[in-house]
PDB file of all heavy atoms in Angstrom:
ATOM      1  N   LYS A 273       0.837  -1.205   0.052  1.00 97.00           N
ATOM      2  CA  LYS A 273       0.008   0.015   0.041  1.00 97.00           C
ATOM      3  C   LYS A 273       0.906   1.201   0.058  1.00 97.00           C
ATOM      4  O   LYS A 273       2.015   1.176   0.586  1.00 97.00           O
ATOM      5  CB  LYS A 273      -1.014  -0.011   1.205  1.00 97.00           C
ATOM      6  CG  LYS A 273      -0.258   0.124   2.515  1.00 97.00           C
ATOM      7  CD  LYS A 273      -1.343   0.081   3.602  1.00 97.00           C
ATOM      8  CE  LYS A 273      -0.620   0.203   5.063  1.00 97.00           C
ATOM      9  NZ  LYS A 273      -0.034  -0.931   5.444  1.00 97.00           N
ATOM     10  N   ASN A 274       0.489   2.300  -0.616  1.00 96.00           N
ATOM     11  CA  ASN A 274       1.299   3.403  -0.762  1.00 96.00           C
ATOM     12  C   ASN A 274       0.444   4.721  -0.985  1.00 96.00           C
ATOM     13  O   ASN A 274      -0.445   4.700  -1.719  1.00 96.00           O
ATOM     14  CB  ASN A 274       2.251   3.180  -2.000  1.00 96.00           C
ATOM     15  CG  ASN A 274       3.459   4.097  -1.914  1.00 96.00           C
ATOM     16  OD1 ASN A 274       4.485   3.507  -1.401  1.00 96.00           O
ATOM     17  ND2 ASN A 274       3.471   5.304  -2.371  1.00 96.00           N
ATOM     18  N   SER A 275       0.725   5.659  -0.273  1.00 96.00           N
ATOM     19  CA  SER A 275       0.179   7.029  -0.449  1.00 96.00           C
ATOM     20  C   SER A 275       0.389   7.507  -1.886  1.00 96.00           C
ATOM     21  O   SER A 275       1.412   7.255  -2.529  1.00 96.00           O
ATOM     22  CB  SER A 275       0.550   8.045   0.600  1.00 96.00           C
ATOM     23  OG  SER A 275       0.288   7.622   1.885  1.00 96.00           O
ATOM     24  N   ILE A 276      -0.501   8.203  -2.297  1.00 94.00           N
ATOM     25  CA  ILE A 276      -0.373   8.849  -3.729  1.00 94.00           C
ATOM     26  C   ILE A 276      -0.452  10.359  -3.511  1.00 94.00           C
ATOM     27  O   ILE A 276      -0.974  10.761  -2.460  1.00 94.00           O
ATOM     28  CB  ILE A 276      -1.414   8.299  -4.676  1.00 94.00           C
ATOM     29  CG1 ILE A 276      -2.804   8.579  -4.100  1.00 94.00           C
ATOM     30  CG2 ILE A 276      -1.295   6.770  -4.871  1.00 94.00           C
ATOM     31  CD1 ILE A 276      -3.950   8.306  -5.176  1.00 94.00           C
ATOM     32  N   PRO A 277      -0.080  11.099  -4.524  1.00 92.00           N
ATOM     33  CA  PRO A 277      -0.177  12.672  -4.380  1.00 92.00           C
ATOM     34  C   PRO A 277      -1.590  13.021  -4.011  1.00 92.00           C
ATOM     35  O   PRO A 277      -2.578  12.466  -4.646  1.00 92.00           O
ATOM     36  CB  PRO A 277       0.198  13.082  -5.726  1.00 92.00           C
ATOM     37  CG  PRO A 277       1.203  12.029  -6.284  1.00 92.00           C
ATOM     38  CD  PRO A 277       0.537  10.776  -5.761  1.00 92.00           C
ATOM     39  N   PHE A 278      -1.795  13.881  -3.093  1.00 94.00           N
ATOM     40  CA  PHE A 278      -3.036  14.509  -2.622  1.00 94.00           C
ATOM     41  C   PHE A 278      -3.946  13.404  -2.122  1.00 94.00           C
ATOM     42  O   PHE A 278      -5.209  13.466  -2.235  1.00 94.00           O
ATOM     43  CB  PHE A 278      -3.702  15.217  -3.764  1.00 94.00           C
ATOM     44  CG  PHE A 278      -2.828  16.240  -4.431  1.00 94.00           C
ATOM     45  CD1 PHE A 278      -2.371  16.046  -5.673  1.00 94.00           C
ATOM     46  CD2 PHE A 278      -2.373  17.421  -3.672  1.00 94.00           C
ATOM     47  CE1 PHE A 278      -1.481  16.989  -6.276  1.00 94.00           C
ATOM     48  CE2 PHE A 278      -1.490  18.335  -4.175  1.00 94.00           C
ATOM     49  CZ  PHE A 278      -1.025  18.075  -5.504  1.00 94.00           C
ATOM     50  N   ASP A 279      -3.459  12.331  -1.492  1.00 96.00           N
ATOM     51  CA  ASP A 279      -4.118  11.153  -0.982  1.00 96.00           C
ATOM     52  C   ASP A 279      -5.009  11.707   0.105  1.00 96.00           C
ATOM     53  O   ASP A 279      -4.669  12.473   1.065  1.00 96.00           O
ATOM     54  CB  ASP A 279      -3.204  10.193  -0.504  1.00 96.00           C
ATOM     55  CG  ASP A 279      -3.783   8.775  -0.375  1.00 96.00           C
ATOM     56  OD1 ASP A 279      -5.027   8.678  -0.323  1.00 96.00           O
ATOM     57  OD2 ASP A 279      -3.018   7.784  -0.497  1.00 96.00           O
ATOM     58  N   THR A 280      -6.324  11.335   0.076  1.00 94.00           N
ATOM     59  CA  THR A 280      -7.275  11.635   1.091  1.00 94.00           C
ATOM     60  C   THR A 280      -7.348  10.504   2.264  1.00 94.00           C
ATOM     61  O   THR A 280      -7.883  10.838   3.284  1.00 94.00           O
ATOM     62  CB  THR A 280      -8.730  11.913   0.610  1.00 94.00           C
ATOM     63  OG1 THR A 280      -9.099  10.729  -0.202  1.00 94.00           O
ATOM     64  CG2 THR A 280      -8.630  13.105  -0.373  1.00 94.00           C
ATOM     65  N   GLU A 281      -6.774   9.478   1.942  1.00 96.00           N
ATOM     66  CA  GLU A 281      -6.743   8.336   2.975  1.00 96.00           C
ATOM     67  C   GLU A 281      -5.541   8.538   3.890  1.00 96.00           C
ATOM     68  O   GLU A 281      -4.654   9.140   3.490  1.00 96.00           O
ATOM     69  CB  GLU A 281      -6.695   6.929   2.272  1.00 96.00           C
ATOM     70  CG  GLU A 281      -7.867   6.568   1.369  1.00 96.00           C
ATOM     71  CD  GLU A 281      -9.055   6.211   2.176  1.00 96.00           C
ATOM     72  OE1 GLU A 281      -9.052   6.002   3.449  1.00 96.00           O
ATOM     73  OE2 GLU A 281     -10.117   6.075   1.634  1.00 96.00           O
ATOM     74  N   SER A 282      -5.633   7.958   5.023  1.00 97.00           N
ATOM     75  CA  SER A 282      -4.618   8.047   6.030  1.00 97.00           C
ATOM     76  C   SER A 282      -3.377   7.179   5.488  1.00 97.00           C
ATOM     77  O   SER A 282      -3.561   6.273   4.678  1.00 97.00           O
ATOM     78  CB  SER A 282      -4.989   7.454   7.365  1.00 97.00           C
ATOM     79  OG  SER A 282      -5.127   6.007   7.282  1.00 97.00           O
ATOM     80  N   PRO A 283      -2.141   7.400   6.043  1.00 96.00           N
ATOM     81  CA  PRO A 283      -0.966   6.607   5.570  1.00 96.00           C
ATOM     82  C   PRO A 283      -1.051   5.056   5.796  1.00 96.00           C
ATOM     83  O   PRO A 283      -0.506   4.315   5.319  1.00 96.00           O
ATOM     84  CB  PRO A 283       0.174   7.223   6.359  1.00 96.00           C
ATOM     85  CG  PRO A 283      -0.354   8.653   6.633  1.00 96.00           C
ATOM     86  CD  PRO A 283      -1.740   8.569   6.879  1.00 96.00           C
ATOM     87  N   THR A 284      -2.026   4.779   6.833  1.00 96.00           N
ATOM     88  CA  THR A 284      -2.144   3.433   7.053  1.00 96.00           C
ATOM     89  C   THR A 284      -3.150   2.644   6.310  1.00 96.00           C
ATOM     90  O   THR A 284      -3.362   1.499   6.191  1.00 96.00           O
ATOM     91  CB  THR A 284      -2.622   3.218   8.598  1.00 96.00           C
ATOM     92  OG1 THR A 284      -3.856   3.814   8.857  1.00 96.00           O
ATOM     93  CG2 THR A 284      -1.506   3.636   9.565  1.00 96.00           C
ATOM     94  N   ILE A 285      -3.859   3.423   5.467  1.00 98.00           N
ATOM     95  CA  ILE A 285      -4.855   2.961   4.644  1.00 98.00           C
ATOM     96  C   ILE A 285      -4.497   3.142   3.099  1.00 98.00           C
ATOM     97  O   ILE A 285      -4.479   2.171   2.258  1.00 98.00           O
ATOM     98  CB  ILE A 285      -6.372   3.571   4.825  1.00 98.00           C
ATOM     99  CG1 ILE A 285      -6.732   3.334   6.162  1.00 98.00           C
ATOM    100  CG2 ILE A 285      -7.291   3.060   3.774  1.00 98.00           C
ATOM    101  CD1 ILE A 285      -6.960   1.941   6.668  1.00 98.00           C
ATOM    102  N   THR A 286      -4.221   4.387   2.664  1.00 97.00           N
ATOM    103  CA  THR A 286      -3.747   4.773   1.349  1.00 97.00           C
ATOM    104  C   THR A 286      -4.768   4.523   0.272  1.00 97.00           C
ATOM    105  O   THR A 286      -5.668   3.753   0.412  1.00 97.00           O
ATOM    106  CB  THR A 286      -2.392   4.153   0.877  1.00 97.00           C
ATOM    107  OG1 THR A 286      -2.571   2.887   0.481  1.00 97.00           O
ATOM    108  CG2 THR A 286      -1.408   4.271   2.056  1.00 97.00           C
ATOM    109  N   SER A 287      -4.492   5.295  -0.852  1.00 96.00           N
ATOM    110  CA  SER A 287      -5.289   5.149  -2.035  1.00 96.00           C
ATOM    111  C   SER A 287      -4.582   4.563  -3.178  1.00 96.00           C
ATOM    112  O   SER A 287      -4.954   4.643  -4.290  1.00 96.00           O
ATOM    113  CB  SER A 287      -5.844   6.575  -2.454  1.00 96.00           C
ATOM    114  OG  SER A 287      -6.707   7.082  -1.568  1.00 96.00           O
ATOM    115  N   GLY A 288      -3.476   3.928  -2.913  1.00 95.00           N
ATOM    116  CA  GLY A 288      -2.596   3.426  -3.911  1.00 95.00           C
ATOM    117  C   GLY A 288      -1.810   2.202  -3.536  1.00 95.00           C
ATOM    118  O   GLY A 288      -1.730   1.907  -2.310  1.00 95.00           O
ATOM    119  N   VAL A 289      -1.224   1.466  -4.536  1.00 96.00           N
ATOM    120  CA  VAL A 289      -0.245   0.425  -4.218  1.00 96.00           C
ATOM    121  C   VAL A 289       0.985   0.719  -5.144  1.00 96.00           C
ATOM    122  O   VAL A 289       0.928   1.189  -6.206  1.00 96.00           O
ATOM    123  CB  VAL A 289      -0.811  -0.913  -4.451  1.00 96.00           C
ATOM    124  CG1 VAL A 289      -1.884  -1.373  -3.538  1.00 96.00           C
ATOM    125  CG2 VAL A 289      -1.356  -1.143  -5.895  1.00 96.00           C
ATOM    126  N   ARG A 290       2.166   0.233  -4.507  1.00 93.00           N
ATOM    127  CA  ARG A 290       3.400   0.350  -5.220  1.00 93.00           C
ATOM    128  C   ARG A 290       3.728  -1.137  -5.745  1.00 93.00           C
ATOM    129  O   ARG A 290       3.670  -2.065  -4.923  1.00 93.00           O
ATOM    130  CB  ARG A 290       4.454   0.756  -4.227  1.00 93.00           C
ATOM    131  CG  ARG A 290       5.764   0.941  -5.047  1.00 93.00           C
ATOM    132  CD  ARG A 290       6.875   1.436  -3.978  1.00 93.00           C
ATOM    133  NE  ARG A 290       7.170   0.545  -3.032  1.00 93.00           N
ATOM    134  CZ  ARG A 290       7.120   0.732  -1.735  1.00 93.00           C
ATOM    135  NH1 ARG A 290       6.554   1.844  -1.183  1.00 93.00           N
ATOM    136  NH2 ARG A 290       7.360  -0.229  -0.935  1.00 93.00           N
ATOM    137  N   ILE A 291       4.003  -1.265  -7.059  1.00 90.00           N
ATOM    138  CA  ILE A 291       4.284  -2.524  -7.590  1.00 90.00           C
ATOM    139  C   ILE A 291       5.705  -2.418  -8.120  1.00 90.00           C
ATOM    140  O   ILE A 291       6.038  -1.517  -8.866  1.00 90.00           O
ATOM    141  CB  ILE A 291       3.403  -2.807  -8.728  1.00 90.00           C
ATOM    142  CG1 ILE A 291       1.914  -2.832  -8.311  1.00 90.00           C
ATOM    143  CG2 ILE A 291       3.677  -4.132  -9.365  1.00 90.00           C
ATOM    144  CD1 ILE A 291       0.893  -2.959  -9.425  1.00 90.00           C
ATOM    145  N   GLY A 292       6.623  -3.404  -7.642  1.00 85.00           N
ATOM    146  CA  GLY A 292       7.983  -3.456  -8.166  1.00 85.00           C
ATOM    147  C   GLY A 292       8.218  -4.610  -9.059  1.00 85.00           C
ATOM    148  O   GLY A 292       7.649  -5.682  -8.855  1.00 85.00           O
ATOM    149  N   THR A 293       9.073  -4.504  -9.995  1.00 81.00           N
ATOM    150  CA  THR A 293       9.417  -5.587 -10.828  1.00 81.00           C
ATOM    151  C   THR A 293      10.642  -6.381 -10.618  1.00 81.00           C
ATOM    152  O   THR A 293      10.706  -7.374 -11.160  1.00 81.00           O
ATOM    153  CB  THR A 293       9.465  -5.048 -12.353  1.00 81.00           C
ATOM    154  OG1 THR A 293      10.453  -4.081 -12.454  1.00 81.00           O
ATOM    155  CG2 THR A 293       8.078  -4.468 -12.772  1.00 81.00           C
ATOM    156  N   PRO A 294      11.494  -6.012  -9.752  1.00 84.00           N
ATOM    157  CA  PRO A 294      12.757  -6.752  -9.511  1.00 84.00           C
ATOM    158  C   PRO A 294      12.594  -8.116  -9.070  1.00 84.00           C
ATOM    159  O   PRO A 294      13.345  -9.022  -9.730  1.00 84.00           O
ATOM    160  CB  PRO A 294      13.494  -5.966  -8.440  1.00 84.00           C
ATOM    161  CG  PRO A 294      13.051  -4.537  -8.687  1.00 84.00           C
ATOM    162  CD  PRO A 294      11.631  -4.603  -9.059  1.00 84.00           C
ATOM    163  N   ALA A 295      11.524  -8.469  -8.259  1.00 82.00           N
ATOM    164  CA  ALA A 295      11.405  -9.850  -7.842  1.00 82.00           C
ATOM    165  C   ALA A 295      10.981 -10.735  -9.114  1.00 82.00           C
ATOM    166  O   ALA A 295      11.477 -11.938  -9.099  1.00 82.00           O
ATOM    167  CB  ALA A 295      10.258  -9.934  -6.798  1.00 82.00           C
ATOM    168  N   VAL A 296      10.270 -10.204 -10.031  1.00 84.00           N
ATOM    169  CA  VAL A 296       9.781 -11.133 -11.046  1.00 84.00           C
ATOM    170  C   VAL A 296      10.863 -11.158 -12.165  1.00 84.00           C
ATOM    171  O   VAL A 296      10.971 -12.184 -12.875  1.00 84.00           O
ATOM    172  CB  VAL A 296       8.454 -10.769 -11.651  1.00 84.00           C
ATOM    173  CG1 VAL A 296       7.299 -11.139 -10.658  1.00 84.00           C
ATOM    174  CG2 VAL A 296       8.280  -9.245 -11.888  1.00 84.00           C
ATOM    175  N   THR A 297      11.566 -10.070 -12.410  1.00 86.00           N
ATOM    176  CA  THR A 297      12.601 -10.069 -13.392  1.00 86.00           C
ATOM    177  C   THR A 297      13.783 -11.051 -12.959  1.00 86.00           C
ATOM    178  O   THR A 297      14.303 -11.711 -13.770  1.00 86.00           O
ATOM    179  CB  THR A 297      13.165  -8.753 -13.744  1.00 86.00           C
ATOM    180  OG1 THR A 297      13.672  -8.112 -12.494  1.00 86.00           O
ATOM    181  CG2 THR A 297      12.184  -7.854 -14.496  1.00 86.00           C
ATOM    182  N   THR A 298      14.016 -11.021 -11.612  1.00 86.00           N
ATOM    183  CA  THR A 298      15.043 -12.045 -11.110  1.00 86.00           C
ATOM    184  C   THR A 298      14.611 -13.408 -11.328  1.00 86.00           C
ATOM    185  O   THR A 298      15.353 -14.302 -11.493  1.00 86.00           O
ATOM    186  CB  THR A 298      15.125 -11.716  -9.571  1.00 86.00           C
ATOM    187  OG1 THR A 298      15.612 -10.375  -9.381  1.00 86.00           O
ATOM    188  CG2 THR A 298      16.125 -12.735  -8.998  1.00 86.00           C
ATOM    189  N   ARG A 299      13.350 -13.691 -11.388  1.00 86.00           N
ATOM    190  CA  ARG A 299      12.718 -15.007 -11.573  1.00 86.00           C
ATOM    191  C   ARG A 299      12.803 -15.365 -13.059  1.00 86.00           C
ATOM    192  O   ARG A 299      12.424 -16.527 -13.498  1.00 86.00           O
ATOM    193  CB  ARG A 299      11.306 -15.146 -11.117  1.00 86.00           C
ATOM    194  CG  ARG A 299      11.230 -15.109  -9.629  1.00 86.00           C
ATOM    195  CD  ARG A 299       9.706 -15.183  -9.187  1.00 86.00           C
ATOM    196  NE  ARG A 299       9.525 -15.440  -7.802  1.00 86.00           N
ATOM    197  CZ  ARG A 299       9.058 -16.498  -7.323  1.00 86.00           C
ATOM    198  NH1 ARG A 299       8.513 -17.428  -7.956  1.00 86.00           N
ATOM    199  NH2 ARG A 299       8.800 -16.518  -5.991  1.00 86.00           N
ATOM    200  N   GLY A 300      13.131 -14.458 -13.961  1.00 89.00           N
ATOM    201  CA  GLY A 300      13.337 -14.742 -15.409  1.00 89.00           C
ATOM    202  C   GLY A 300      11.946 -14.410 -16.198  1.00 89.00           C
ATOM    203  O   GLY A 300      11.803 -14.783 -17.260  1.00 89.00           O
ATOM    204  N   PHE A 301      10.977 -13.682 -15.627  1.00 89.00           N
ATOM    205  CA  PHE A 301       9.812 -13.304 -16.274  1.00 89.00           C
ATOM    206  C   PHE A 301      10.115 -12.478 -17.446  1.00 89.00           C
ATOM    207  O   PHE A 301      10.981 -11.621 -17.357  1.00 89.00           O
ATOM    208  CB  PHE A 301       8.899 -12.586 -15.321  1.00 89.00           C
ATOM    209  CG  PHE A 301       7.989 -13.419 -14.452  1.00 89.00           C
ATOM    210  CD1 PHE A 301       8.519 -14.547 -13.886  1.00 89.00           C
ATOM    211  CD2 PHE A 301       6.693 -13.115 -14.204  1.00 89.00           C
ATOM    212  CE1 PHE A 301       7.751 -15.359 -13.025  1.00 89.00           C
ATOM    213  CE2 PHE A 301       5.934 -13.885 -13.214  1.00 89.00           C
ATOM    214  CZ  PHE A 301       6.550 -15.009 -12.685  1.00 89.00           C
ATOM    215  N   LYS A 302       9.378 -12.689 -18.563  1.00 89.00           N
ATOM    216  CA  LYS A 302       9.450 -11.851 -19.715  1.00 89.00           C
ATOM    217  C   LYS A 302       8.181 -11.015 -19.915  1.00 89.00           C
ATOM    218  O   LYS A 302       7.338 -11.115 -19.114  1.00 89.00           O
ATOM    219  CB  LYS A 302       9.681 -12.805 -20.957  1.00 89.00           C
ATOM    220  CG  LYS A 302      10.947 -13.654 -20.905  1.00 89.00           C
ATOM    221  CD  LYS A 302      12.232 -12.899 -20.744  1.00 89.00           C
ATOM    222  CE  LYS A 302      13.478 -13.713 -20.765  1.00 89.00           C
ATOM    223  NZ  LYS A 302      14.548 -13.114 -20.272  1.00 89.00           N
ATOM    224  N   GLU A 303       8.027 -10.320 -21.000  1.00 87.00           N
ATOM    225  CA  GLU A 303       7.008  -9.451 -21.184  1.00 87.00           C
ATOM    226  C   GLU A 303       5.615 -10.157 -21.183  1.00 87.00           C
ATOM    227  O   GLU A 303       4.742  -9.666 -20.640  1.00 87.00           O
ATOM    228  CB  GLU A 303       7.133  -8.696 -22.651  1.00 87.00           C
ATOM    229  CG  GLU A 303       8.234  -7.686 -22.593  1.00 87.00           C
ATOM    230  CD  GLU A 303       9.645  -8.333 -22.929  1.00 87.00           C
ATOM    231  OE1 GLU A 303       9.823  -9.513 -23.040  1.00 87.00           O
ATOM    232  OE2 GLU A 303      10.649  -7.551 -22.986  1.00 87.00           O
ATOM    233  N   ASP A 304       5.547 -11.218 -21.772  1.00 91.00           N
ATOM    234  CA  ASP A 304       4.327 -12.068 -21.715  1.00 91.00           C
ATOM    235  C   ASP A 304       3.863 -12.417 -20.392  1.00 91.00           C
ATOM    236  O   ASP A 304       2.629 -12.470 -19.994  1.00 91.00           O
ATOM    237  CB  ASP A 304       4.371 -13.277 -22.600  1.00 91.00           C
ATOM    238  CG  ASP A 304       4.419 -12.951 -24.143  1.00 91.00           C
ATOM    239  OD1 ASP A 304       4.051 -11.853 -24.520  1.00 91.00           O
ATOM    240  OD2 ASP A 304       4.780 -13.855 -24.849  1.00 91.00           O
ATOM    241  N   ASP A 305       4.792 -12.637 -19.499  1.00 90.00           N
ATOM    242  CA  ASP A 305       4.585 -13.018 -18.099  1.00 90.00           C
ATOM    243  C   ASP A 305       4.022 -11.845 -17.316  1.00 90.00           C
ATOM    244  O   ASP A 305       3.186 -11.974 -16.589  1.00 90.00           O
ATOM    245  CB  ASP A 305       5.840 -13.489 -17.370  1.00 90.00           C
ATOM    246  CG  ASP A 305       6.328 -14.776 -18.027  1.00 90.00           C
ATOM    247  OD1 ASP A 305       5.577 -15.807 -18.380  1.00 90.00           O
ATOM    248  OD2 ASP A 305       7.614 -14.870 -18.234  1.00 90.00           O
ATOM    249  N   PHE A 306       4.583 -10.724 -17.672  1.00 88.00           N
ATOM    250  CA  PHE A 306       4.129  -9.509 -16.997  1.00 88.00           C
ATOM    251  C   PHE A 306       2.590  -9.209 -17.348  1.00 88.00           C
ATOM    252  O   PHE A 306       1.817  -8.622 -16.628  1.00 88.00           O
ATOM    253  CB  PHE A 306       5.002  -8.285 -17.303  1.00 88.00           C
ATOM    254  CG  PHE A 306       6.233  -8.237 -16.493  1.00 88.00           C
ATOM    255  CD1 PHE A 306       7.402  -8.780 -16.979  1.00 88.00           C
ATOM    256  CD2 PHE A 306       6.219  -7.751 -15.247  1.00 88.00           C
ATOM    257  CE1 PHE A 306       8.618  -8.687 -16.215  1.00 88.00           C
ATOM    258  CE2 PHE A 306       7.446  -7.604 -14.404  1.00 88.00           C
ATOM    259  CZ  PHE A 306       8.551  -8.124 -14.993  1.00 88.00           C
ATOM    260  N   VAL A 307       2.320  -9.409 -18.607  1.00 90.00           N
ATOM    261  CA  VAL A 307       0.930  -9.265 -19.100  1.00 90.00           C
ATOM    262  C   VAL A 307       0.040 -10.196 -18.268  1.00 90.00           C
ATOM    263  O   VAL A 307      -0.989  -9.819 -17.864  1.00 90.00           O
ATOM    264  CB  VAL A 307       0.733  -9.591 -20.593  1.00 90.00           C
ATOM    265  CG1 VAL A 307      -0.627  -9.520 -21.029  1.00 90.00           C
ATOM    266  CG2 VAL A 307       1.557  -8.448 -21.297  1.00 90.00           C
TER     267      VAL A 307
END
């Protein structure tokens, strides 16, 4: 969970999520896998 600009939710709730790709690229995922 991650706050976004001008978020109206509290920092413990948030209105967004942060998605990172390093864990899946390390596993060898390719473009089709990300889809």
Side-chain angles (χ1 to χ4, degrees):
K273 67 181 180 284
N274 205 92
S275 293
I276 58 173
F278 310 106
D279 204 334
T280 56
E281 295 289 348
S282 74
T284 59
I285 303 296
T286 79
S287 294
V289 292
R290 185 178 69 239
I291 303 171
T293 60
V296 288
T297 55
T298 300
R299 289 176 173 247
F301 278 37
K302 302 294 182 205
E303 289 84 358
D304 289 343
D305 298 315
F306 280 95
V307 171

